[in-house]
Amino acid sequence: MSKNLVIVESPAKAKTIEGYLGKDFTVKSSYGHVRDLPTNKLAIDVEKNFEPQYEVSADKKQIISELKKLAKAADTVWLATDEDREGEAISWHLMEALNLKNDQVKRIVFHEITKTAILSAIESPREVNVNLVHAQQARRVLDRLVGFELSPVLWKKVKPSLSAGRVQSVAVRIIVEREREIMDFKGESSFRVVAVFESNGQAFKAELPQRFSTEKEAYAFLEECKGSVFSIADLEKTPGTKKPAAPFTTSTLQQEASRKLGYSVSRTMVIAQKLYESGKITYMRTDSVNLSDLALNQAESVIGSMYGSEYSEQRKYTSKSKGAQEAHEAIRPTDLSVKSVDGDRNEQKLYELIWKRTVASQMANAKLEKTNVKIAISKSDALFVAKGEIITFEGFLKVYLEGTDDDQQEEKGMLPALTIGEDLVAKDISATERFTHHPARYTEASLVKKLEELGIGRPSTYAPTISTIQKRTYVEKESREGSERKYVKLVLEGSDIVKTDETEITGAEKNKLFPTDIGMVVNDYLVEHFKNILDFNFTAKVEQEFDIIAEGQLNWNEMIKSFYDSFHTTIENALEHSERATGERLLGVSPDTGKNIYARIGRFGPMIQMGDADDEDKKFASLRKEQSIGTLTLEEALDLFKLPRKLGKSASGEDISTAIGRFGPYVRQGKVFASLQEGDDPLTITLARAVELIDERISAVKKAILKTFDEDDSIQVLEGRYGPYIKKDKQNIKIPKDVEPKDLTYEQVMELVEKAKTAPKRKAKAKAKK
């Protein structure tokens, strides 16, 4: 048995580290957190200074048992979990769960999994830092209190099964407020004038700096251009430089991987974790842009050998993010001489991105020559302006250029050799109607950027927060098609001005975050009744307090108490005094019944209602997936009340109808339901198409039936999504793996049915108690 037991969080990390340590070391994994607050109760003793009541997770009991045996036999237990607060907390929980004494434990940290870093860490161990543990514990306790007490308020006041969280609710607010800005946005049109000039056979573009607000003004300007002489009035050349971006933090890596590789925030973190655990990059949860002296020297050597010493410029960066946590390094390759790595294609692409960004950060500025040309018009006081830019020295651009979220970037190309006073040939002058654009919706990456700017969350929380708000269906990530828009174009052709009506597609969105109806209603309720929790400054202040706890300057229990007393009072007031929130909108009056029509949130989601609350003959209808209670019109609502819609009869004489249900639009024949496919519309679908969908459904169901029984037609053996099973009435019974489903007899099936009846039921999650 080894004298030294090293415990890390993941098997991949354990495998890498084991290769660097000798036979005297055994490296084992805890597979993440080993203890946590139980999910079926608050598990925080509010009366005893908010003492958390942790327990070993059910799936970790066997792991703890094995680790206890190994720890008992070892002289020293080395806790080598990650170097951030989460990692420190895992080490502390391991000490508690394994009953380890301080003199038996050594805590080691490293920001990269290389032999040098691991052996260096072994040479300089420390104790578990309780201040970091307390900071993590404060976050866990605060988030549990908020979630456990606030969620039941939403169940009662909005809709069952909802949840709220301290950071997730603020993230939803950011997205909802942006959507409201877009809904309130009033677009304006103006005319942009662009000309194509020619000098010595070379064409280039120029633009009028001002825009015209009306077609009449644009037309009048083109009239002035008729027969005008165009000449170079001014030409200015200025040198410029472009600096490289700092090395990656968690936030900037997530943003750039989204822009350049199309990765979601969570996907980026999964790939980065693999690269870290296999020893290829440094720790991937960091808000530092610092590089070690070793990395700086490596970069200088690599740049000199690959591009030449004139491309190298050693730089040190400082973090701009609010409350940057712990003195970590930026995310970088562990060995900059390695330009590409083995692994799957995603790992290779992300590694290459990290390598380029790191190397570029230590390279010389790019040198530019910017040219600004003003072009006079003989019959007008206006001036056309042409801008050009050429690179005189590539510098870091030889390797890498940071992406941008701005879709409206100004184009700057090369200009021909021009001289002041030179006359130009106007090849084309046009005035095109353009429109102001509403504020951009958030992508996952731009939301991370916004959270970081506001000081909300930390590198370890960005990805989980964005995943959570989508899982809770408060926000949806979608790509949406644009709509057709008409615009006017005026073109000067010789002595004529030709007007054409053109069309374009506008408003298309790709992988943008949209708030759902339920997300907007929940947000509005929380903003009204829990201003503090949803306040950006308050949320950022809490993060700063966690930082102060980590430094040992603030008692975590006192921080929680100062928050909880007023929070709990607000909870009680909201439960007792606040009205139910439904997001109800009066759409208008039904022309047939004279009753009011409302759009609101119901028990199962967005819906419309015909009739007031006390009306005994109220009618209800579900919204279509693409519809929203915030923008639904009366006409669209009246169409929805046309459903269910009878289409006709089947060959066997059964009625066939179409409607919209909880899971979307469908057609129905007796007990057979078939979902509508893309392109099908319940308001226009034909009987023939409905029959086609129903026949396909019946065929699929028949294929799934493995066996039936004459003794009881309510029993079937079916092939399901997760394997074969028995269905009796509304009961589903799993078939043992060693049993061939098609060979089951009626007696064997009944035996399995009876066994299922007497089997102990799973415990339902206990209701949240105040």
Side-chain angles (χ1 to χ4, degrees):
M1 190 66 70
S2 298
K3 293 180 179 180
N4 296 281
L5 172 64
V6 181
I7 306 177
V8 297
E9 301 99 324
S10 78
K13 189 173 171 183
K15 187 179 177 184
T16 307
I17 291 172
E18 200 162 34
Y20 300 140
L21 298 171
K23 63 182 187 306
D24 290 337
F25 288 83
T26 297
V27 186
K28 291 291 177 183
S29 167
S30 69
Y31 292 83
H33 276 278
V34 292
R35 295 199 316 168
D36 200 0
L37 301 172
T39 56
N40 60 348
K41 58 182 180 180
L42 179 61
I44 293 164
D45 195 331
V46 175
E47 304 302 321
K48 286 189 179 176
N49 223 7
F50 303 95
E51 185 181 310
Q53 297 158 356
Y54 296 112
E55 63 179 34
V56 175
S57 315
D59 60 334
K60 297 296 172 67
K61 286 182 178 176
Q62 183 62 35
I63 292 167
I64 289 296
S65 176
E66 289 171 11
L67 289 175
K68 272 185 177 177
K69 287 177 191 171
L70 292 167
K72 197 172 182 181
D75 293 340
T76 305
V77 177
W78 303 79
L79 298 175
T81 52
D82 289 341
E83 61 176 334
D84 58 9
R85 294 171 194 171
E86 207 71 27
E88 205 71 23
I90 293 173
S91 281
W92 179 76
H93 281 294
L94 281 166
M95 283 186 71
E96 295 289 312
L98 301 177
N99 300 316
L100 300 174
K101 303 286 185 253
N102 279 332
D103 58 1
Q104 188 190 356
V105 172
K106 290 183 179 178
R107 170 80 170 115
I108 55 171
V109 293
F110 36 84
H111 59 268
E112 61 184 57
I113 305 175
T114 59
K115 188 169 185 177
T116 304
I118 301 302
L119 295 179
S120 175
I122 293 285
E123 291 298 317
S124 52
R126 59 170 173 80
E127 292 183 352
V128 169
N129 186 329
V130 290
N131 293 328
L132 297 182
V133 174
H134 288 162
Q136 188 276 342
Q137 186 162 265
R139 181 188 292 278
R140 187 74 188 92
V141 168
L142 185 62
D143 288 348
R144 170 55 67 95
L145 288 169
V146 171
F148 225 80
E149 296 210 358
L150 195 48
S151 296
V153 178
L154 296 180
W155 305 343
K156 185 176 179 182
K157 300 296 182 179
V158 184
K159 179 176 170 286
S161 303
L162 296 175
S163 78
R166 185 179 56 83
V167 177
Q168 78 176 51
S169 298
V170 175
V172 172
R173 180 183 178 182
I174 291 169
I175 293 164
V176 167
E177 289 188 351
R178 176 55 54 88
E179 195 66 25
R180 292 249 163 83
E181 283 180 60
I182 293 167
M183 289 165 70
D184 295 340
F185 182 80
K186 300 285 187 289
E188 294 178 355
S189 70
S190 61
F191 283 78
R192 175 190 180 207
V193 181
V194 176
V196 177
F197 295 107
E198 194 173 83
S199 170
N200 297 318
Q202 280 187 280
F204 66 96
K205 274 187 180 180
E207 186 175 335
L208 204 67
Q210 68 269 35
R211 295 196 177 189
F212 297 109
S213 54
T214 65
E215 181 184 332
K216 185 179 178 182
E217 290 173 354
Y219 194 95
F221 173 75
L222 292 181
E223 282 283 1
E224 290 179 341
C225 290
K226 280 185 188 177
S228 279
V229 175
F230 302 93
S231 59
I232 306 294
D234 188 32
L235 191 153
E236 185 182 9
K237 290 187 178 182
T238 55
T241 58
K242 196 182 283 284
K243 292 181 179 180
F248 280 133
T249 61
T250 303
S251 161
T252 53
L253 176 64
Q254 290 168 344
Q255 291 168 51
E256 198 71 339
S258 172
R259 296 183 195 116
K260 282 187 157 59
L261 306 178
Y263 293 170
S264 69
V265 165
S266 56
R267 186 181 180 194
T268 298
M269 294 312 290
V270 167
I271 299 166
Q273 178 112 16
K274 287 180 183 175
L275 290 171
Y276 166 68
E277 290 177 347
S278 59
K280 291 164 186 169
I281 64 168
T282 53
Y283 191 51
M284 67 287 158
R285 293 189 186 94
T286 176
D287 42 22
S288 171
V289 289
N290 181 47
L291 292 177
S292 67
D293 289 340
L294 175 67
L296 292 173
N297 293 333
Q298 264 189 12
E300 188 173 21
S301 172
V302 167
I303 294 163
S305 62
M306 291 181 76
Y307 308 108
S309 58
E310 69 274 18
Y311 281 88
S312 178
E313 185 179 327
Q314 207 169 93
R315 302 168 187 266
K316 292 201 174 183
Y317 297 87
T318 53
S319 179
K320 292 178 184 174
S321 71
K322 290 184 183 179
Q325 188 181 307
E326 289 103 36
H328 298 158
E329 256 198 277
I331 303 168
R332 62 166 176 83
T334 53
D335 184 353
L336 283 167
S337 67
V338 178
K339 193 175 179 181
S340 58
V341 294
D342 297 330
D344 67 34
R345 187 69 190 115
N346 291 327
E347 288 175 47
Q348 290 172 353
K349 283 159 74 175
L350 193 66
Y351 179 87
E352 186 180 326
L353 187 70
I354 295 167
W355 185 90
K356 285 181 175 179
R357 175 80 164 223
T358 308
V359 169
S361 76
Q362 297 304 308
M363 292 178 74
N365 292 343
K367 292 178 182 176
L368 316 168
E369 183 182 80
K370 297 179 179 182
T371 306
N372 204 47
V373 179
K374 291 179 181 176
I375 300 163
I377 308 161
S378 62
K379 292 184 179 179
S380 171
D381 293 333
L383 294 166
F384 278 107
V385 173
K387 292 181 179 180
E389 191 174 274
I390 58 169
I391 297 169
T392 57
F393 174 65
E394 284 180 297
F396 75 94
L397 292 176
K398 200 168 185 73
V399 174
Y400 178 85
L401 175 63
E402 185 178 31
T404 175
D405 294 317
D406 185 8
D407 298 328
Q408 315 281 321
Q409 286 206 96
E410 186 181 3
E411 285 183 48
K412 291 179 187 175
M414 284 185 66
L415 296 174
L418 301 167
T419 56
I420 293 176
E422 176 187 347
D423 287 344
L424 302 170
V425 177
K427 301 294 288 183
D428 179 86
I429 302 176
S430 61
T432 307
E433 188 178 15
R434 295 293 79 202
F435 302 86
T436 52
H437 196 270
H438 62 67
R441 288 185 174 89
Y442 288 101
T443 60
E444 286 190 353
S446 61
L447 179 59
V448 167
K449 186 179 181 182
K450 183 67 175 177
L451 290 170
E452 187 179 38
E453 285 172 359
L454 293 170
I456 294 168
R458 286 295 180 261
S460 60
T461 64
Y462 299 138
T465 297
I466 289 171
S467 295
T468 299
I469 62 177
Q470 291 178 68
K471 282 178 191 166
R472 304 291 187 200
T473 66
Y474 291 151
V475 170
E476 291 176 338
K477 182 167 76 170
E478 289 185 359
S479 294
R480 294 185 182 178
E481 292 180 1
S483 55
E484 194 172 81
R485 175 172 68 189
K486 291 182 179 178
Y487 67 95
V488 172
K489 188 169 184 178
L490 305 173
V491 181
L492 178 60
E493 294 181 356
S495 58
D496 296 322
I497 297 172
V498 179
K499 176 184 173 180
T500 55
D501 292 319
E502 310 275 346
T503 58
E504 62 185 350
I505 300 297
T506 182
E509 302 277 20
K510 186 177 179 183
N511 291 332
K512 295 291 179 69
L513 298 174
F514 294 83
T516 61
D517 281 337
I518 194 69
M520 295 182 91
V521 171
V522 167
N523 174 75
D524 293 348
Y525 178 83
L526 292 177
V527 168
E528 182 181 352
H529 299 287
F530 296 90
K531 288 185 177 70
N532 215 18
I533 295 291
L534 272 287
D535 182 75
F536 300 143
N537 292 329
F538 168 77
T539 311
K541 178 175 169 283
V542 168
E543 293 293 348
Q544 290 164 8
E545 288 179 340
F546 291 151
D547 295 342
I548 298 168
I549 292 167
E551 292 164 5
Q553 303 297 314
L554 178 63
N555 183 295
W556 77 269
N557 312 78
E558 290 173 9
M559 179 257 180
I560 298 293
K561 187 176 188 338
S562 68
F563 161 82
Y564 182 75
D565 290 346
S566 61
F567 170 69
H568 188 67
T569 303
T570 309
I571 290 281
E572 291 180 326
N573 285 339
L575 281 167
E576 192 173 342
H577 302 298
S578 69
E579 298 291 324
R580 274 187 64 82
T582 63
E584 185 175 277
R585 269 179 73 228
L586 175 63
L587 303 180
V589 176
S590 165
D592 296 331
T593 65
K595 293 182 179 182
N596 287 334
I597 295 179
Y598 302 92
R600 65 181 181 85
I601 293 292
R603 183 176 178 81
F604 300 114
M607 56 172 281
I608 51 171
Q609 172 183 311
M610 185 185 293
D612 293 320
D614 56 357
D615 192 329
E616 291 183 6
D617 299 321
K618 292 190 291 291
K619 280 188 177 180
F620 304 97
S622 297
L623 269 63
R624 300 168 72 155
K625 186 180 184 302
E626 68 275 10
Q627 292 175 326
S628 164
I629 61 173
T631 56
L632 191 76
T633 65
L634 176 63
E635 291 70 25
E636 289 167 336
L638 291 171
D639 278 343
L640 292 173
F641 280 119
K642 292 175 184 174
L643 302 171
R645 179 174 150 249
K646 287 185 180 177
L647 301 175
K649 290 188 180 290
S650 68
S652 60
E654 287 184 292
D655 286 335
I656 295 178
S657 61
T658 180
I660 298 174
R662 275 181 73 185
F663 306 108
Y666 63 89
V667 286
R668 176 182 184 180
Q669 176 186 318
K671 291 184 178 180
V672 180
F673 295 80
S675 295
L676 267 60
Q677 304 300 313
E678 193 174 338
D680 293 327
D681 187 324
L683 292 170
T684 58
I685 192 170
T686 63
L687 176 63
R689 173 61 177 154
V691 169
E692 186 183 332
L693 290 170
I694 288 163
D695 287 347
E696 285 174 8
R697 177 64 183 156
I698 291 170
S699 174
V701 169
K702 279 180 180 174
K703 284 180 185 175
I705 298 172
L706 301 178
K707 194 166 188 177
T708 56
F709 300 91
D710 294 335
E711 294 92 335
D712 187 343
D713 60 8
S714 72
I715 297 177
Q716 293 177 320
V717 179
L718 302 171
E719 183 64 59
R721 187 176 174 187
Y722 303 108
Y725 67 98
I726 298 163
K727 181 177 176 67
K728 176 169 171 52
D729 299 320
K730 291 185 177 181
Q731 189 182 10
N732 294 338
I733 300 105
K734 194 175 179 182
I735 297 172
K737 285 184 179 177
D738 57 348
V739 174
E740 175 54 50
K742 290 180 182 177
D743 295 341
L744 280 166
T745 63
Y746 176 70
E747 289 73 21
Q748 288 172 320
V749 166
M750 288 310 297
E751 192 179 327
L752 289 169
V753 170
E754 290 305 314
K755 264 188 188 176
K757 283 180 183 175
T758 56
K761 295 269 192 306
R762 274 185 176 181
K763 283 185 181 177
K765 283 187 180 179
K767 285 187 178 179
K769 294 177 185 175
K770 260 205 307 180

